[in-house]
Amino acid sequence: MKRLILAAMLATGLAGAAHADDALKAAVAGEHRSAANKARDSARHPYETLSFFGIKPTMTVVELAPSGGWYTDILAPYLRDKGKLIGAGEEIAPEKRYGLAFKKKLDSNPAVYGKVVPSIFEPPTRYQIAEPNSVDMVLTFRNLHNWVGHGEEGLKTTFKEIHKVLKPGGVLGIVEHRLPAAMPQDAKASSGYVHEAWVIKLAEGAGFKLAGKSEVNANPKDTANHEKGVWTLPPVLANKDKDREKYIAIGESDRMTLKFVKQ
């Protein structure tokens, strides 16, 4: 009898895991996503990235600086019924360009985005992300380089504020443009690239433990040595027609994908 009960429990658990994977696949394949956004799936690997971070549809998740909402398109429907998505970025106010852009995104399709909760994340001074110890996961995609210009103390504050809102054991997932270790780090990360070891050191200094690395977003063809930094590459192609085919052949940037756990 005990074996039958155990087998039933295992079967239920496996079915739940499969359902979660199916829900994430459905969110990635959603008809609400634009063709342009879907076209970047082969470079951004949303299903594999979110699976690596260990996301579940019952979680409370913060997306930091969602901007145009590329990942919001996936996270919002995935978390809508059983979980919660907090979009932490600029305050929604008339003078805040990114805040208004995010509101426009949310208002564009209430059936998909209607339950997303906006909050304030304006480093290095304003952090009204969520209540302390209330969040299962915090995610940030290609944003960290924007915070480097705030200086070391500003960066430390940002990581501590992220740490504060996570539950013990909560996950911080970071995807960021990766600077080769042999290249010098610009103090303001003006190229858009940062050292992986430095990011790990910052997170660990704020009380996180590195739980894993993934190369799912790696691109060995990217040297990180471009005239206009990471924006030389797709999708921006900042040089326009100059060497356009060369940069399209390289593809999007080489990116670190790091998973941390709150201690």
Side-chain angles (χ1 to χ4, degrees), residues 99-140:
L100 290 179
F102 190 56
K103 183 180 187 301
K104 183 178 179 180
K105 176 79 172 181
L106 301 186
D107 291 345
S108 69
N109 192 337
V112 175
Y113 312 114
K115 291 187 177 180
V116 178
V117 179
S119 68
I120 298 174
F121 174 75
E122 296 182 359
T125 56
R126 295 188 71 195
Y127 302 94
Q128 298 171 25
I129 303 169
E131 292 298 316
N133 303 303
S134 67
V135 171
D136 298 294
M137 182 176 285
V138 174
L139 300 173
T140 180

Side-chain angles (χ1 to χ4, degrees), residues 72-87:
T72 309
D73 277 353
I74 297 165
L75 294 169
Y78 179 69
L79 297 165
R80 179 180 173 87
D81 293 335
K82 299 178 181 179
K84 180 179 181 180
L85 175 61
I86 299 171

Side-chain angles (χ1 to χ4, degrees), residues 90-101 103:
E90 270 195 347
E91 179 183 8
I92 295 175
E95 71 279 9
K96 303 283 188 176
R97 181 172 58 137
Y98 293 112
L100 290 179
K103 183 180 187 301

Side-chain angles (χ1 to χ4, degrees), residues 3-257:
R3 288 183 180 179
L4 288 173
I5 293 172
L6 178 60
M9 290 173 65
L10 287 171
T12 301
L14 290 172
H19 177 74
D21 288 346
D22 288 345
L24 186 54
K25 289 177 181 178
V28 172
E31 293 183 0
H32 65 286
R33 297 186 68 214
S34 69
N37 280 358
K38 286 185 175 182
R40 296 185 66 198
D41 287 355
S42 60
R44 300 193 69 174
H45 311 99
Y47 179 80
E48 295 82 1
T49 299
L50 292 172
S51 296
F52 169 70
F53 290 144
I55 198 167
K56 296 290 184 287
T58 54
M59 286 181 168
T60 296
V61 177
V62 171
E63 181 186 4
L64 295 177
S67 189
W70 195 94
Y71 258 99
T72 309
D73 277 353
I74 297 165
L75 294 169
Y78 179 69
L79 297 165
R80 179 180 173 87
D81 293 335
K82 299 178 181 179
K84 180 179 181 180
L85 175 61
I86 299 171
E90 270 195 347
E91 179 183 8
I92 295 175
E95 71 279 9
K96 303 283 188 176
R97 181 172 58 137
Y98 293 112
L100 290 179
F102 190 56
K103 183 180 187 301
K104 183 178 179 180
K105 176 79 172 181
L106 301 186
D107 291 345
S108 69
N109 192 337
V112 175
Y113 312 114
K115 291 187 177 180
V116 178
V117 179
S119 68
I120 298 174
F121 174 75
E122 296 182 359
T125 56
R126 295 188 71 195
Y127 302 94
Q128 298 171 25
I129 303 169
E131 292 298 316
N133 303 303
S134 67
V135 171
D136 298 294
M137 182 176 285
V138 174
L139 300 173
T140 180
F141 304 98
R142 299 161 41 250
N143 287 312
L144 196 147
H145 60 276
N146 294 316
W147 313 335
V148 175
H150 302 150
E152 187 172 349
E153 290 306 311
L155 275 168
K156 287 180 178 178
T157 297
T158 297
F159 273 89
K160 287 178 180 177
E161 291 292 333
I162 294 168
H163 187 274
K164 183 190 299 182
V165 302
L166 279 163
K167 300 172 183 176
V171 170
L172 167 62
I174 296 175
V175 177
E176 181 57 290
H177 310 295
R178 177 165 50 193
L179 184 68
M183 293 178 66
Q185 177 71 66
D186 175 357
K188 294 187 177 180
S190 57
S191 70
Y193 292 94
V194 296
H195 284 146
E196 183 175 289
W198 184 55
V199 175
I200 294 170
K201 183 180 179 181
L202 281 168
E204 291 183 337
F208 289 99
K209 179 181 180 181
L210 180 66
K213 303 179 185 181
S214 172
E215 291 300 299
V216 68
N217 294 303
N219 180 1
K221 292 186 288 186
D222 178 18
T223 64
N225 185 16
H226 311 297
E227 180 184 357
K228 295 182 179 178
V230 70
W231 302 279
T232 309
L233 300 176
V236 177
L237 293 168
N239 280 340
K240 298 183 179 179
D241 290 334
K242 180 182 176 183
D243 294 324
R244 184 182 183 90
E245 295 305 316
K246 168 187 171 182
Y247 295 121
I248 289 175
I250 292 171
E252 296 198 21
S253 66
D254 177 53
R255 294 165 188 160
M256 66 185 88
T257 303

